[in-house]
Amino acid sequence: MARGDELPGVIPVRKRKRDTNINYGGKVWNIVYVLANLFSFKEWPAQEPASLHALSIGEEQSSSIVAAVAWSPTGLAKHKRSVLTVLTSNLLLSLWDPGPNPSEVSSWSRATIVNKYLQAYLESDDASPDLTRKRRRIRSMCWAEKLPKDAQAVQVYGELIAVLNDNHEVIVFNVSSPYTCKQEGWAAEVLSHYSITSESQNLHPSDHEIIWSPWATNSDTVNALLSCKIGADHSMFRVSIKTSVVPDIQEDSRGTIPPSPNVMMTLVEGDHFSELAGPKYSMLCDSKCYLNRPSWDVISGRCCFQEFFCITTHLSQMETFHIHTQVDSSGVSSETLTRSKKPWNLQMRQSECRLQFAKEHNLGKMTSTKTWGLASFGAYIAACVTVHPRTMVEYSMPSTERSTILFGHTSSLKEERTDEDEDEDEYEDENLFFPWEFEPQLRDPLAAHAAPWSMILGGISRPALCRSILSCRLLYSSFCIRLMLGAIEYTMKAPTISALDILAESLNTSLRTETESLDSPEIAAEDHVKIVELINSFVNLRSASEAEIPTTQRLLEYCRITECSKPLLYTSNIYKARCSVGHTWNRCALSFLAIQEPGISKFCDTCGREYRNEQQVLQEDIDSMPVMDVTSGNADSLGDEVLPIRDNEHSLISELFRSHGICIFCEGKFIG
């Protein structure tokens, strides 16, 4: 939420499997208050007063209160989380990193300020200082959706954000972070910009708006639309991206791009609004959709969830619309927008807030609510409201002001309700539960590791994925653990044998003993104790042979305790490793690699499983790779044309960790 000079973060309290005996007392949320209006001189230097032509009260005299917030697509922050984009009234756009544990205030930090990269980009232009100062001020921003996975451009770009500056220009940035494993720090590279002609004067900050449509794929190109509103002027641009090519931005008054579902954007004009959606993103409802509101009651929030679109005014006049998709006889689809029932469970909770406020202040029915914003995720809708006395002067102070977040569900829009139910005071209380309030359903180890094991077998078919030491250890340890979980299915035996043959070929050794164990009587009988003894015999046999030492060092893990250096053995607990001396270590729940150092692991916030931190794994993977000859492909070549390249972009272990950003047992988030 954006509230003055601070950001109250409302974070779910997840019911953990290991804490089922704890009484939560009905607490579902933790609230973290992040102060967002303080900037150090290192982050942004003090600004000298501008000339009258370039004067900005917000930049020079405002208290830098929060003007707008937005979450980025997932993947920019640690553990594949999103970063929080904060636009303050001094026209600075900051990226806030939630860190390893967003539930703690100390974990939050301002990662970077986008205006710095915009200023560096504009320094190359021969413009006056006043013009440069106006162009670096940011009025509005919007993140693009993630590029489609099947688009080749996804390998080139990070996450894209479009901003609208004080000089009526659209600038597109490519934002990258150290968690994307592409560089050491945060960066925002300007990809393209476009100037907008607008004659609007004396604009309010809310008169600047920019919205980005979903992506649509067309062969090797992905397209999207940017809608920009400056006062009464509206412009639309087509953004086209090809592989290794700077995005092309062109003005597109018709807004015709390939099909993409759901509502794209909302154009609010006075007392009516129009929707852009559908296969051609054409204007819906030519007669417009008029709202029953006075002209001074501004629209304070709008959101799309599933096939519904909801819009609300500042005085809580809410309207809900349903998006119908129709296909004619020729196969051409079109969308229509019709009014739908209001989310009654959301309005019921709004009524409860009014009754509670009236009871505390003895106001009866002389209360009113104000809605400050709407948000949606999946089938849930949330509204931020405040309650005030009606037809009287209100005296308050910041310490007594209270904002309330109300939640609703799309199921309330599909239920048939009678006219008697329309009275908001007559609603019966109905509880709304979130998925994290229930005890998590954990998968058994065999089912949880089915997808990672299939991915490993599929990835090993490309020998290039197995050229790193960690990838070799990943395949071997996963194979051993898979034997401990039970007999391998008949359909998986052939891929398993093929994977071991490729591993043996890459290491120039033989894994015949491991291959023949698939048909051993211990495996067939699923005798867990004997299976552990059989697997440890593989380890002891290889570590005892001096001729196999170079291969063994790439295949097995060794205890890192000083003066030990014994190979790690397997135990009856698949998530424990122990050397022959007795030193015990935890294994990563995804890769089964041992965790032998502090600070290199993360934990599932729901079930408590321990994983290795992907950043440390990927860096260790890069350091362990041989230098490759980019011309001939020979490792450690000393030719003149050799470039010292260590790239784990396509290694087996990097693909595994990048594909599993949540817990494989309960789909929980990571902390630590």
Side-chain angles (χ1 to χ4, degrees):
M1 291 186 299
R3 195 182 71 173
D5 56 358
E6 62 184 6
L7 294 167
V10 185
I11 301 174
V13 176
R14 299 181 180 274
K15 189 170 184 180
R16 297 169 173 84
K17 184 70 175 179
R18 60 182 183 274
D19 298 338
T20 53
N21 294 326
I22 295 180
N23 183 11
Y24 285 84
K27 185 179 180 182
V28 187
W29 306 95
N30 274 333
I31 302 180
V32 179
Y33 294 93
V34 180
L35 201 60
N37 69 329
L38 300 180
F39 296 85
S40 66
F41 291 123
K42 182 179 181 181
E43 291 175 327
W44 189 252
Q47 303 299 311
E48 296 292 335
S51 64
L52 183 61
H53 178 69
L55 176 65
S56 172
I57 300 298
E59 180 186 44
E60 297 185 23
Q61 300 183 19
S62 74
S63 57
S64 305
I65 62 174
V66 180
V69 293
W71 287 106
S72 74
T74 57
L76 277 180
K78 193 171 186 178
H79 304 324
K80 297 189 180 298
R81 284 190 171 94
S82 302
V83 299
L84 185 62
T85 315
V86 181
L87 179 63
T88 46
S89 59
N90 59 347
L91 308 182
L92 294 183
L93 185 64
S94 307
L95 301 182
W96 282 82
D97 182 8
N101 190 0
S103 298
E104 299 178 359
V105 179
S106 58
S107 179
W108 289 81
S109 63
R110 183 183 285 110
T112 188
I113 299 176
V114 178
N115 302 64
K116 296 191 299 184
Y117 304 97
L118 179 57
Q119 182 176 357
Y121 171 76
L122 297 174
E123 287 178 352
S124 59
D125 294 348
D126 188 14
S128 63
D130 287 348
L131 180 59
T132 301
R133 190 158 182 170
K134 290 182 64 177
R135 295 175 69 186
R136 77 183 182 195
R137 300 171 184 157
I138 296 178
R139 288 287 183 179
S140 182
M141 51 80 186
C142 182
W143 286 95
E145 290 187 359
K146 273 188 170 295
L147 288 168
K149 292 184 179 180
D150 56 346
Q152 296 179 352
V154 74
Q155 301 293 338
V156 181
Y157 300 103
E159 303 299 340
L160 305 183
I161 184 174
V163 302
L164 187 62
N165 66 6
D166 215 10
N167 197 46
H168 301 169
E169 294 176 332
V170 178
I171 303 99
V172 178
F173 290 91
N174 179 34
V175 180
S176 55
S177 73
Y179 306 110
T180 59
C181 298
K182 295 183 179 179
Q183 60 181 32
E184 295 182 356
W186 293 82
E189 178 190 2
V190 177
L191 298 180
S192 185
H193 80 280
Y194 194 93
S195 299
I196 301 175
T197 302
S198 176
E199 299 179 357
S200 301
Q201 301 293 332
N202 302 322
L203 298 173
H204 189 270
S206 62
D207 292 333
H208 297 80
E209 186 175 13
I210 183 169
I211 308 177
W212 206 317
S213 79
W215 293 103
T217 306
N218 183 15
S219 63
D220 62 339
T221 306
V222 288
N223 303 284
L225 290 181
L226 271 175
S227 174
C228 306
K229 184 172 76 72
I230 303 176
D233 301 325
H234 173 258
S235 302
M236 188 175 294
F237 304 92
R238 178 203 299 266
V239 181
S240 301
I241 297 181
K242 293 185 178 180
T243 306
S244 303
V245 178
V246 176
D248 178 36
I249 299 181
Q250 298 180 356
E251 192 162 3
D252 190 344
S253 59
R254 297 175 300 172
T256 55
I257 66 174
S260 185
N262 214 331
V263 171
M264 182 190 73
M265 59 187 68
T266 311
L267 306 180
V268 180
E269 304 171 5
D271 60 348
H272 62 267
F273 70 94
S274 303
E275 292 302 316
L276 298 175
K280 295 185 177 180
Y281 288 118
S282 57
M283 297 292 290
L284 288 178
C285 301
D286 294 335
S287 59
K288 311 291 185 180
C289 290
Y290 287 87
L291 301 175
N292 299 322
R293 67 181 180 95
S295 58
W296 45 265
D297 187 11
V298 298
I299 293 177
S300 60
R302 51 188 180 269
C303 64
C304 302
F305 49 103
Q306 295 184 346
E307 70 272 19
F308 296 97
F309 173 76
C310 192
I311 190 168
T312 185
T313 66
H314 187 53
L315 295 182
S316 303
Q317 298 297 320
M318 184 178 296
E319 295 286 349
T320 306
F321 300 87
H322 186 260
I323 307 165
H324 299 273
T325 303
Q326 298 177 345
V327 181
D328 57 18
S329 57
S330 59
V332 178
S333 61
S334 60
E335 282 76 17
T336 57
L337 198 66
T338 59
R339 291 183 186 271
S340 179
K341 294 181 289 292
K342 300 178 182 179
W344 61 267
N345 54 8
L346 187 66
Q347 293 200 328
M348 177 266 293
R349 291 176 176 85
Q350 182 175 316
S351 176
E352 291 176 353
C353 290
R354 291 177 56 185
L355 293 175
Q356 181 180 357
F357 184 83
K359 184 177 180 180
E360 293 175 355
H361 298 85
N362 195 24
L363 293 174
K365 292 189 176 181
M366 302 298 292
T367 59
S368 63
T369 59
K370 294 181 180 179
T371 303
W372 300 91
L374 291 177
S376 63
F377 180 80
Y380 295 94
I381 180 174
C384 179
V385 301
T386 55
V387 188
H388 307 270
R390 189 168 58 186
T391 66
M392 66 181 67
V393 179
E394 179 183 11
Y395 296 93
S396 64
M397 61 182 65
S399 61
T400 61
E401 293 177 352
R402 182 172 59 186
S403 302
T404 306
I405 305 297
L406 306 176
F407 291 91
H409 197 274
T410 54
S411 60
S412 64
L413 301 176
K414 300 177 182 180
E415 296 175 1
E416 295 295 334
R417 304 188 63 80
T418 63
D419 295 338
E420 286 134 1
D421 294 329
E422 293 300 326
D423 185 1
E424 60 184 5
D425 293 333
E426 296 294 331
Y427 289 136
E428 297 180 358
D429 184 20
E430 178 174 314
N431 293 325
L432 176 66
F433 294 99
F434 298 96
W436 55 82
E437 294 184 67
F438 298 96
E439 181 178 327
Q441 300 296 324
L442 301 183
R443 301 173 183 168
D444 62 86
L446 185 60
H449 289 286
W453 177 242
S454 299
M455 181 179 177
I456 291 173
L457 294 182
I460 201 64
S461 60
R462 292 173 288 173
L465 295 182
C466 194
R467 64 186 184 90
S468 69
I469 295 178
L470 288 187
S471 295
C472 296
R473 293 175 179 174
L474 167 68
L475 174 59
Y476 191 80
S477 61
S478 298
F479 166 74
C480 294
I481 296 296
R482 185 62 187 81
L483 290 181
M484 295 172 61
L485 292 176
I488 296 179
E489 301 85 350
Y490 176 78
T491 56
M492 300 295 293
K493 282 189 177 181
T496 301
I497 295 174
S498 176
L500 292 177
D501 291 341
I502 294 176
L503 179 62
E505 182 180 355
S506 63
L507 297 177
N508 194 22
T509 187
S510 174
L511 296 176
R512 180 179 300 176
T513 306
E514 287 82 351
T515 304
E516 293 176 349
S517 67
L518 294 174
D519 297 322
S520 63
E522 294 88 349
I523 300 297
E526 297 187 359
D527 189 333
H528 189 71
V529 176
K530 292 185 177 180
I531 292 177
V532 173
E533 295 176 353
L534 177 64
I535 294 174
N536 287 332
S537 68
F538 301 158
V539 177
N540 294 327
L541 180 63
R542 293 191 173 279
S543 59
S545 175
E546 295 183 0
E548 291 285 341
I549 289 180
T551 301
T552 304
Q553 291 178 344
R554 294 178 60 87
L555 201 62
L556 304 178
E557 290 186 280
Y558 287 81
C559 181
R560 295 185 181 180
I561 294 293
T562 306
E563 299 180 357
C564 180
S565 301
K566 299 293 184 180
L568 295 182
L569 303 174
Y570 295 85
T571 67
S572 57
N573 187 343
I574 62 175
Y575 302 110
K576 295 288 184 179
R578 186 179 64 244
C579 69
S580 58
V581 178
H583 301 135
T584 304
W585 311 97
N586 290 339
R587 290 188 182 272
C588 170
L590 175 63
S591 64
F592 297 110
L593 299 179
I595 303 173
Q596 302 189 56
E597 295 180 15
I600 65 171
S601 62
K602 59 186 180 182
F603 297 87
C604 174
D605 189 29
T606 303
C607 67
R609 301 279 184 178
E610 187 174 8
Y611 295 74
R612 289 193 67 172
N613 192 317
E614 66 273 9
Q615 295 298 317
Q616 188 275 336
V617 169
L618 299 180
Q619 186 59 48
E620 182 180 348
D621 189 36
I622 292 177
D623 296 339
S624 66
M625 283 186 175
V627 177
M628 297 299 296
D629 184 346
V630 297
T631 58
S632 62
N634 297 324
D636 298 323
S637 174
L638 300 178
D640 296 335
E641 298 181 353
V642 172
L643 296 178
I645 295 179
R646 286 186 174 97
D647 182 18
N648 71 336
E649 191 74 22
H650 300 292
S651 71
L652 181 61
I653 194 167
S654 66
E655 293 286 338
L656 180 68
F657 273 89
R658 288 195 180 101
S659 301
H660 295 81
I662 57 177
C663 178
I664 60 176
F665 291 89
C666 64
E667 299 183 355
K669 295 286 187 178
F670 294 121
I671 58 174

